[in-house]
Amino acid sequence: MTVARLTIGRPDDWHLHLRDGAALAAVVAHTAAVFGRAIVMPNLKPPVRTTAEALAYRERIRAATPAGAAFEPLMTLYLTGTTPAAEIDRAVASQAIIGVKYYPAGATTNSDAGVRDLAEAGAVLERMQELDLPLLVHGEVTDPAVDTFDREACFIDRVLAPLVRRLPRLRIVFEHATTREAVAFVKDHAHLAATLTPQHLLLNRTAMFTGGLRPHLYCLPVLKRESHREALIEAAVSGSPQFFLGTDSAPHGRSAKEAACGCAGVYSAHAALPLYAEAFESMGRLDRLEGFASQHGPAYYRLPRNHGTVTLVREEWTVPESYDFGSDRLVPFRAGETLNWRVAEDAP
Ligand code: NCD
Ligand code: ZN
């Protein structure tokens, strides 16, 4: 039976890039219209490395958020080789920092300041375990000898498994998991969790090359083959509280994407919930969307669920070809295509 409406508790986005300045002003309304909270990634230029910088960034996000939106940005710190353990104390005391993001240096957009070797951050990670502040990982090795499509699985063997052995109580979120190996590793460790993006649930790597090269489908970690997508969607609809919504919506101007060396990132905030609904419906499991979008994340991060609800209605709409993006344009996921689900605002 096909349903025409679905009302769920107000969801959260547990992995989001909002950028800064004109880009921030261009995109934040999409997220704030639907989500109660979002974990905002710290990979600005320069990165958000201290609690003070994160609090200042939070103010800029609040100032750019449309008046009346009940949206709370949850902040992260960017782990570097020189982050002092005392920064973890300041982060926890502020009650504004939800976790620390680990980017292997050079793994993705604005990750040059990331950690080259996790051993550099030993004292910080121990303090995080002690104070129970989660580590959010971009799970890819950067070794140029490792094939791009194998970098996530290799990260598990070389970095994550040893880390979990060394700090067995540190809570770790495997951000934007893209492989069956990541799903299996998370399932095997009850104190770990993973976020899953709409594009990795809906597409495999062939989509990047269908009819020609599709730069707007290029993100990191890169889309994988179909058997991995199947493992991800099965995890998403399984009802396991270890898997929850994190769009990894990552806006880049059209000129940076449609370039000889195009940058990584898919923008999905304009249609995040409809895209997840499509993925869950493809498995006949729309009934599991609420857990994934609105309940598992707060449980993992030990936060209350949001007040209020949002309703998805089965109603076709066409995604714009592009959105305003400062002096450039932003080409969203599924630009110009028709989606079957639309978000209708509920009374607060
Ligand atoms: C992200 C970005 O553009 O900031 N890009 C991406 O492809 N996902 C960085 C990241 O999360 O890896
Ligand atoms: Zn990201």
Side-chain angles (χ1 to χ4, degrees), residues 15 17 19 43 101 103 108-109 138 176 218-221 248 250-252 264-266:
H15 182 128
H17 299 269
R19 315 301 190 207
N43 63 330
K101 182 70 190 278
Y103 289 102
T108 187
T109 307
H138 182 110
H176 41 53
Y218 173 58
C219 65
L220 286 170
D248 193 24
H252 292 278
V266 169

Side-chain angles (χ1 to χ4, degrees), residues 96-111:
I97 310 296
I98 191 141
V100 174
K101 182 70 190 278
Y102 164 50
Y103 289 102
T108 187
T109 307
N110 299 347
S111 62

